[in-house]
Amino acid sequence: MINDTTVISLFILFGACFGFVTYSQRHLFSEGPHKPKTSDDNPFESRIFWVLLCALLWPIMVVTRIHSAWLLHKRRKQAQHAVLH
């Protein structure tokens, strides 16, 4: 049987991996489909913060990303419909 420490460690490890993978798309989790015009002053600190945030909140981030993807799909569909008419 898996003990509690293993489960917690896997949760945090998966979240950290999720943070590393989604760092370049982090704007999709809060600001929408467009990247901000300003660049990070220190990308290393920004990446570390994002990884730590995702390590603890990755289930919420997954749900947020699914919702954002649904909204973007809906907007694209409406835009295509408007162009056709």
Side-chain angles (χ1 to χ4, degrees):
M1 191 99 198
I2 298 177
N3 61 10
D4 295 338
T5 306
T6 305
V7 172
I8 293 170
S9 298
L10 289 174
F11 181 89
I12 292 172
L13 179 66
F14 181 80
C17 292
F18 179 81
F20 276 118
V21 171
T22 61
Y23 175 74
S24 62
Q25 300 174 348
R26 66 190 186 278
H27 61 282
L28 294 173
F29 291 87
S30 61
E31 294 131 6
H34 305 292
K35 289 185 179 182
K37 301 257 187 233
T38 60
S39 62
D40 296 329
D41 291 337
N42 192 343
F44 179 74
E45 288 178 4
S46 178
R47 182 177 294 268
I48 293 297
F49 178 75
W50 182 255
V51 168
L52 291 174
L53 182 70
C54 287
L56 299 176
L57 299 176
W58 68 264
I60 295 169
M61 297 296 211
V62 169
V63 171
T64 303
R65 179 60 183 113
I66 291 170
H67 182 258
S68 295
W70 175 73
L71 286 176
L72 290 173
H73 176 72
K74 186 177 168 182
R75 286 182 193 162
R76 278 190 219 116
K77 200 173 190 181
Q78 287 176 346
Q80 287 176 351
H81 184 65
V83 170
L84 293 175
H85 287 130

